[in-house]
Amino acid sequence: MHVGNARYLGPQDVPEILPVFPLTGALLLPGAQLPLNIFEPRYLAMFDDALAGNRLIGIVQPSFSEGRNDIDSAPVPALCQVGCIGRITSFAETGDGRYITSLTGVCRYRLFAEVAGCRGYRRFRIGPFATDLDSPDDESLVDREALLAAFRAYLDANKLEADWESVERASNRTLVNSMAMMSPYGPAEKQALLEAPDLKTRAETLIAITEIVLARNFGDLDNILQ
């Protein structure tokens, strides 16, 4: 995996201990970009430290559970067990104390034990998903026609437009990951897309979620997909 000015060829290229940035509803996938507006002091400190070091941050969602509204406000919120490592590939100061940054996904990881934090943010021992670093050649397994049909149906149902020339030019990997990250679905759906074991499964999961949402909100799915 080549990200920015760095190459991550195996688990040995990823640190054992990673600062984590809990962010509800955020989805970062390997090779994709996630823009961030950083303003909370502890996360400003996290990005300062990352910029002075290996530039790596772990994005992860706070744990979610149906019917629970107190998770984010807990003193030490529980976290989902799978997140994605991002490398800071764009960074700017705003002049009013904020950072505007962009992370590029390196690989997914699994949280292990939490270690002593520093400067207010949390750090964990992690286990990287080595398969994400292998650059698997699995794009041909994606059912692009079905993916685009679901995407078009969602846009039509919501009276939205897309730049279809750019869509047609995009590779299957770019298309699947971009659509997953931009999708307006909830934290549980975003986590399912993150944890999909491969690109083909992620595409199938995205299609299934989209069809469920369309059927629930607009009724006759067969007519919508025609």
Side-chain angles (χ1 to χ4, degrees):
M1 175 67 73
H2 186 188
V3 180
N5 292 330
R7 290 186 179 274
Y8 304 92
L9 303 179
Q12 71 279 358
D13 297 320
V14 175
E16 295 181 2
I17 297 175
L18 189 71
V20 300
F21 187 1
L23 198 57
T24 300
L27 176 61
L28 176 62
L29 293 168
Q33 292 190 330
L34 177 67
L36 294 170
N37 177 15
I38 310 299
F39 55 87
E40 194 171 338
R42 57 180 165 170
Y43 297 125
L44 292 170
M46 173 192 287
F47 275 76
D48 283 341
D49 292 345
L51 286 166
N54 56 28
R55 295 189 171 225
L56 298 179
I57 299 284
I59 295 295
V60 67
Q61 289 201 94
S63 180
F64 44 84
S65 178
E66 187 173 358
R68 288 286 303 280
N69 296 317
D70 60 338
I71 292 174
D72 286 337
S73 61
V76 183
L79 303 176
C80 291
Q81 292 302 295
V82 175
C84 185
I85 300 173
R87 179 179 172 87
I88 302 171
T89 49
S90 175
F91 172 84
E93 295 180 310
T94 63
D96 60 1
R98 294 178 294 118
Y99 293 161
I100 303 298
T101 73
S102 180
L103 300 182
T104 302
V106 175
C107 70
R108 292 169 295 169
Y109 65 88
R110 189 172 300 277
L111 288 177
F112 293 147
E114 186 164 6
V115 301
C118 63
R119 303 226 280 167
Y121 61 82
R122 301 173 71 182
R123 301 187 303 160
F124 284 80
R125 293 191 181 278
I126 64 158
F129 284 34
T131 53
D132 289 347
L133 302 172
D134 292 338
S135 299
D137 185 17
D138 56 358
E139 293 194 48
S140 62
L141 302 178
V142 172
D143 188 341
R144 186 183 181 97
E145 183 176 345
L147 183 66
L148 289 177
F151 182 46
R152 186 176 291 106
Y154 183 89
L155 293 176
D156 290 345
N158 289 278
K159 297 180 172 56
L160 300 173
E161 298 290 339
D163 180 355
W164 286 105
E165 289 188 10
S166 297
V167 171
E168 292 297 336
R169 290 196 301 268
S171 67
N172 283 349
R173 184 173 304 280
T174 298
L175 189 63
V176 172
N177 289 345
S178 296
M179 289 174 60
M181 288 181 62
M182 293 186 297
S183 65
Y185 305 134
E189 290 79 8
K190 290 291 183 74
Q191 194 66 25
L193 291 167
L194 174 67
E195 295 187 19
D198 51 48
L199 191 68
K200 176 177 181 290
T201 307
R202 183 171 299 130
E204 292 170 347
T205 302
L206 184 58
I207 292 169
I209 293 172
T210 302
E211 290 179 347
I212 290 170
V213 169
L214 288 172
R216 183 174 64 224
N217 295 341
F218 299 99
D220 191 344
L221 182 61
D222 290 336
N223 287 337
I224 294 171
L225 291 175
Q226 289 178 358

